[in-house]
Amino acid sequence: MGFEFLSHTPGFELPNNAPSAPADLVSLIEECHEGLSKAIVSKMQRRGKYEQIATIICQENPSKKAHPSATSEDIADYCMLCMQYEIDKSDDPGRYRVMLIGPPGRGRFERSKHIDLSDGDGEARTTTLQTEGELIEQQSQYIGELHSQIVTMCETVNSMVVPLLKENKEMMKIVSDSQRKLAEIERDRMNHDLQLKLHADDLKMEEAKEEMKNQRWKETMDTIKESGAIEGFMKAILKKLNKGKEEDDDDDDDDDDDDKDDGGGKGKSKKQGTGNAADVVERIKKKEKSDKKEAESSIVAKAKAQSSAKKMRKRVKLNKDTERAISSGEELTQAQMEEVFSQSAMEKVKENPIALMVEVFKMTIDERGQWPVIEETLTEDQLVLFKRILETEQDGAIEKLLRKLYNMKGARRLLKLEQHLDETQKGYVDKLLEIAMK
């Protein structure tokens, strides 16, 4: 090596070995060998910024036509030793630049070559760095390609997403309709369950009402039986039923009397026939018209009475065993009692047991002829309200009238009235008083 013709600044000791210089670097030095003044070795920090390692002096008095004493290979190897020095110093191989500078003056030139030692395999390679304009142009081209790729990808994604969005919209509509239908079905189901519960509650209420009515009916009948007035009550009902037959017989007797009166009237008119012939004829005609009208009205009345009697006999017909048990005072069975109530048009009192008790109380008063005593004891207002209570057939109305009666002035008269009643009737009055005080 002819390193004796070369020197470098700043001064440092060169290493013994270094990577071989690449051929491109040797060729560049060969091209610039004529007039070469010095070579500057620098380490690249980043693009456009370098850290100078050493300046290699090729000839002391350079000129445009002068050649360095050292050969191109020697200068290239010297540059590689400077690079190896920096690698040994920093232990960080990288990219280096060798800049060749010509003589001062009009013949000055600057040429450079980049050497890459960053692979760590000990082999040097030359690299070419682009200029700012080339780099910008290349970057712009690359950005344009990226933009076109992005646009293509967006179009692809859009072509895929739009049908998916449309399908998703249709599916959401289907889901919404399904949810709405499910909500309607759930609403109908809940409404059906509610109706079933309401129906079940209504049935329970009806059963409770029916059980309450039966209980009240049983209590009322037990009260009547315990009072010992059931036989008298049944006899009073039988008497009430037999009124229809007696009224029918009375209607027949009335018809016979009417016939007699008609004959007598005619005879009387004959006897009273005085005066001239014209007057007699006139009176006879008037009498015939009057008799005809009376006969027609009598026939209509008789037909109505007979029809009413037939209906009464048909309605109040009782079993012979039941009539015999009532007449003899025997204890009636449950079936016989229901028959009596049904035939006496008192079936409805099953739903109003208080009305049945009031009816029994009224019948006991009628049988014993106690109305004069009651009229003398009670005031006029109390008597009117008392009669209304005995004639009312609804329990609710009876309860209201009882409260009104016991809240009227003259309550002592009611206590005085109890003195004229027997023990059975007092039991009824006490029961009614208990109802009124609830």
Side-chain angles (χ1 to χ4, degrees), residues 193-210:
D193 294 341
L194 179 60
Q195 294 298 327
L196 289 178
K197 291 181 180 179
L198 292 176
H199 181 65
D201 293 340
D202 292 339
L203 290 178
K204 290 181 180 179
M205 290 179 64
E206 292 295 331
E207 291 176 358
K209 287 182 180 179
E210 190 67 23

Side-chain angles (χ1 to χ4, degrees), residues 126-374:
T126 59
T127 59
T128 302
L129 292 180
Q130 297 176 343
T131 63
E132 293 292 334
E134 292 174 347
L135 181 62
I136 292 173
E137 184 179 358
Q138 186 178 4
Q139 290 177 345
S140 299
Q141 184 180 0
Y142 182 68
I143 291 171
E145 293 177 358
L146 291 177
H147 183 266
S148 62
Q149 290 293 329
I150 292 172
V151 170
T152 304
M153 292 176 61
C154 289
E155 291 177 354
T156 304
V157 171
N158 190 34
S159 63
M160 295 174 61
V161 170
V162 169
L164 291 176
L165 290 175
K166 185 177 180 180
E167 184 177 358
N168 182 63
K169 186 177 181 180
E170 293 176 355
M171 293 298 294
M172 289 299 296
K173 184 178 180 181
I174 294 173
V175 171
S176 299
D177 293 340
S178 300
Q179 290 179 348
R180 179 177 56 80
K181 291 180 180 179
L182 287 175
E184 292 177 355
I185 292 172
E186 184 66 17
R187 181 197 62 193
D188 294 339
R189 187 188 66 79
M190 293 177 66
N191 187 26
H192 179 68
D193 294 341
L194 179 60
Q195 294 298 327
L196 289 178
K197 291 181 180 179
L198 292 176
H199 181 65
D201 293 340
D202 292 339
L203 290 178
K204 290 181 180 179
M205 290 179 64
E206 292 295 331
E207 291 176 358
K209 287 182 180 179
E210 190 67 23
E211 185 177 357
M212 187 179 296
K213 289 178 183 178
N214 293 333
Q215 185 66 24
R216 291 170 63 186
W217 169 259
K218 184 178 179 180
E219 291 177 356
T220 303
M221 293 306 299
D222 291 341
T223 303
I224 295 173
K225 287 181 179 180
E226 290 175 0
S227 65
I230 187 65
E231 294 81 1
F233 175 57
M234 293 302 173
K235 291 180 180 179
I237 292 177
L238 184 60
K239 182 179 180 181
K240 183 178 181 181
L241 297 178
N242 292 331
K243 284 184 180 180
K245 297 180 180 179
E246 295 176 358
E247 291 176 357
D248 187 20
D249 295 338
D250 293 339
D251 291 338
D252 294 339
D253 295 339
D254 292 340
D255 292 340
D256 295 338
D257 294 338
D258 291 339
D259 293 339
K260 292 178 181 180
D261 292 340
D262 291 342
K266 290 179 181 178
K268 185 178 179 180
S269 61
K270 288 180 181 178
K271 291 180 181 179
Q272 292 178 353
T274 58
N276 54 27
D279 294 336
V280 172
V281 172
E282 185 68 23
R283 285 197 298 271
I284 290 172
K285 289 180 178 181
K286 290 181 179 180
K287 184 62 177 176
E288 288 178 353
K289 291 180 180 181
S290 176
D291 293 341
K292 187 176 181 181
K293 290 181 180 180
E294 290 178 359
E296 290 177 354
S297 61
S298 177
I299 292 171
V300 172
K302 184 177 180 181
K304 289 182 179 180
Q306 290 177 352
S307 176
S308 177
K310 289 179 181 180
K311 291 180 180 179
M312 179 63 71
R313 284 195 298 271
K314 184 178 180 181
R315 186 177 69 246
V316 301
K317 186 176 181 180
L318 291 175
N319 192 351
K320 292 182 179 180
D321 295 337
T322 305
E323 292 183 358
R324 185 174 61 256
I326 295 173
S327 301
S328 61
E330 297 177 0
E331 183 177 357
L332 299 179
T333 63
Q334 184 69 23
Q336 289 175 338
M337 291 176 64
E338 292 180 357
E339 180 186 2
V340 171
F341 288 131
S342 176
Q343 295 297 336
S344 63
M346 291 186 66
E347 177 69 19
K348 59 184 178 181
V349 299
K350 281 189 175 183
E351 299 180 358
N352 300 279
I354 299 177
L356 175 61
M357 186 183 299
V358 170
E359 180 71 16
V360 174
F361 185 36
K362 180 176 181 296
M363 287 183 177
T364 58
I365 294 174
D366 293 338
E367 286 182 352
R368 296 167 189 176
Q370 294 174 323
W371 283 110
V373 177
I374 295 173

